[in-house]
Amino acid sequence: MAVRGNNLDTVRRHNLSTVVGLVHRSGGLSRSRLTTLTGLNRSTVAALVAELVELGLAVEELPEGNRTVGRPSPLVRPHRDAVAIAVNPEVDAITVGVVGLDAVVRSQVRREVDAPPSPEEAVRITAGLVSEMLSELPASAVILGLGVAVPGLVRSVDGVVRLAPHLGWENVPFAAMLAEATHLPCWGGNDASLGAVAERNFGAGDGVSDLIYLNGGASGIGGGMIVGGELLGGIGGFAGEFGHTRVAGAAVPGATLEDEVNRARLREALNIPGVDSEQLERAIFSARDDDAVAEIDRQVDMLSTALRNTINILNPALVVLGGFLGALYEARTEQMTRLVGLQTLGPAFDDVAIARAALGDEILLIGAAELVFDNVLDDPAQLTNVAAQHPVE
């Protein structure tokens, strides 16, 4: 669907935002294609692109291998040095990454912790990692801000973590604390909701208007919903907590989905002491021990029931599974598909596909960066290199 712009000079900022948004989400478009998508004339698009180049957000280059007659339309791509800093605090580690405007993770560092960090400890660790990563960026880098993917309920208006039960945080102004510590503008959101946005824009959900994303991680199971092409956040931004729904057939009455479909229980059954996701996935695929296979099958059954409920209620076109849930699905694709089909209303099952997240372990960093890009690119004309103005101490 075309994103319409406007040729009036009074809405130049809107047009600039429209063009950079298209370039960001596509990874690069020709000037002629931008003209078609926006409805703007060629000279207006050329001027807007020139401004984005000057701001350090875009680069222009001639297409490779062009064989068309006449002058080729230049390609407009995101500038590789326009970046966001992305943060994912978890119960076992804090991960910080540099993500380009092209949605490519340039670098990342995972700092493991012995126990769930307090907000103050998480800020201290994060600020130190951010400082190190900024020092490694080129002087020309345009630092657009910092985004945080939190495993908990994050109030959308101000980034306050209302509740992150596994971290033990409640009413923590985490985004504001990080902004003060790093001197970077900062935005926070729920990790799984940001994962849904990342998969919708750049992963398995590219082009899909209605999808559900479920993430399985150290803090349990979270979810995000894209409805009509927009993230469904609810009144406070807390929607999508599928992990806290009760499941039938649990050994303990009142147990939730994340109690029963649980990474720690998988690791114990498979005798995997570490937290390496690739190691866990290999163990799931190679499991032969009867108890381990039984635990995998039990979790697949529980997850299938949860997916049945989700599909029947929300009627998505796609369900995307990330984290260890994606590994369970890939290891038991036929089994899970059959179980979901048996429990889901026929027409709803006919309309839905199930897929593993395409962005892998980088999904939450890419999602956190989208928070930054969404806010900054809404008015790129106001852009300043915030890191150069406010270096981390």
Side-chain angles (χ1 to χ4, degrees):
M1 180 178 179
V3 182
R4 308 301 291 182
N6 194 301
N7 283 309
L8 297 175
D9 289 339
T10 55
V11 291
R12 178 183 60 85
R13 291 177 187 272
H14 163 75
N15 292 337
L16 198 65
S17 177
T18 298
V19 171
V20 74
L22 288 167
V23 172
H24 163 56
R25 287 186 294 275
S26 66
L29 292 168
S30 67
R31 255 204 249 160
S32 61
R33 183 61 177 155
L34 287 170
T35 299
T36 300
L37 289 173
T38 61
L40 301 169
N41 62 49
R42 287 184 296 176
S43 60
T44 299
V45 169
L48 293 170
V49 169
E51 187 168 354
L52 291 175
V53 170
E54 185 177 353
L55 289 168
L57 296 178
V59 294
E60 279 195 292
E61 56 190 43
L62 291 177
E64 295 181 4
N66 179 73
R67 296 182 180 180
T68 59
V69 177
R71 188 174 184 179
S73 178
L75 288 175
V76 184
R77 299 190 187 277
H79 198 299
R80 66 170 286 108
D81 290 336
V83 299
I85 308 298
V87 181
N88 175 219
E90 260 290 4
V91 297
D92 56 356
I94 294 173
T95 305
V96 179
V98 176
V99 183
L101 189 57
D102 54 2
V104 173
V105 178
R106 301 274 181 253
S107 61
Q108 62 176 295
V109 176
R110 175 184 164 91
R111 181 67 51 83
E112 294 188 2
V113 292
D114 295 329
S118 68
E120 292 76 17
E121 183 182 7
V123 168
R124 178 182 58 79
I125 294 172
T126 300
L129 294 175
V130 170
S131 180
E132 292 175 13
M133 300 187 93
L134 290 180
S135 69
E136 296 172 356
L137 293 175
S140 60
V142 178
I143 316 301
L144 300 175
L146 190 152
V148 191
V150 180
L153 304 180
V154 183
R155 194 161 60 200
S156 55
V157 295
D158 55 11
V160 169
V161 180
R162 292 284 284 109
L163 179 66
H166 297 281
L167 287 170
W169 298 0
E170 189 170 354
N171 293 319
V172 175
F174 194 58
M177 293 167 67
L178 275 179
E180 182 177 0
T182 63
H183 304 288
L184 293 169
C186 182
W187 296 271
N190 170 262
D191 57 353
S193 291
L194 296 175
V197 171
E199 282 292 326
R200 165 65 174 82
N201 288 346
F202 307 107
D206 184 22
V208 178
S209 62
D210 293 84
L211 68 84
I212 307 299
Y213 172 71
L214 293 183
N215 182 68
S219 287
I221 295 176
M225 298 170 283
I226 304 293
V227 178
E230 299 293 334
L231 180 67
L232 181 64
I235 192 169
F238 309 144
E241 290 296 326
F242 295 100
H244 292 278
T245 57
R246 293 187 179 185
V247 291
V252 178
T256 65
L257 177 62
E258 66 179 30
D259 293 329
E260 296 297 318
V261 182
N262 185 280
R263 193 179 77 167
R265 292 178 66 161
L266 272 177
R267 282 170 39 210
E268 182 178 357
L270 293 164
N271 194 28
I272 302 296
V275 296
D276 184 86
S277 59
E278 293 184 1
Q279 183 184 24
L280 176 60
E281 180 169 340
R282 288 194 298 269
I284 291 172
F285 273 86
S286 62
R288 296 294 182 269
D289 177 78
D290 289 345
D291 290 340
V293 171
E295 177 62 19
I296 293 170
D297 289 340
R298 189 194 65 80
Q299 293 204 21
V300 166
D301 183 63
M302 290 285 183
L303 179 57
S304 299
T305 299
L307 295 184
R308 178 271 311 269
N309 295 334
T310 299
I311 294 167
N312 282 339
I313 293 170
L314 295 169
N315 187 211
L318 178 66
V319 175
V320 181
L321 300 174
F324 77 91
L325 302 184
L328 285 176
Y329 173 69
E330 191 157 328
R332 296 290 193 274
T333 302
E334 291 185 8
Q335 177 181 341
M336 191 179 296
T337 303
R338 178 179 58 81
L339 289 172
V340 173
L342 288 173
Q343 303 175 79
T344 305
L345 294 172
F349 184 69
D350 291 342
D351 290 341
V352 73
I354 303 173
R356 186 175 187 179
L359 300 177
D361 290 341
E362 295 180 341
I363 183 172
L364 298 185
L365 294 179
I366 294 172
E370 283 299 282
L371 268 179
V372 178
F373 299 142
D374 281 350
N375 282 279
V376 174
L377 301 185
D378 187 55
D379 187 10
Q382 292 295 315
L383 178 66
T384 56
N385 190 337
V386 292
Q389 292 187 352
H390 308 288
V392 178
E393 296 176 354

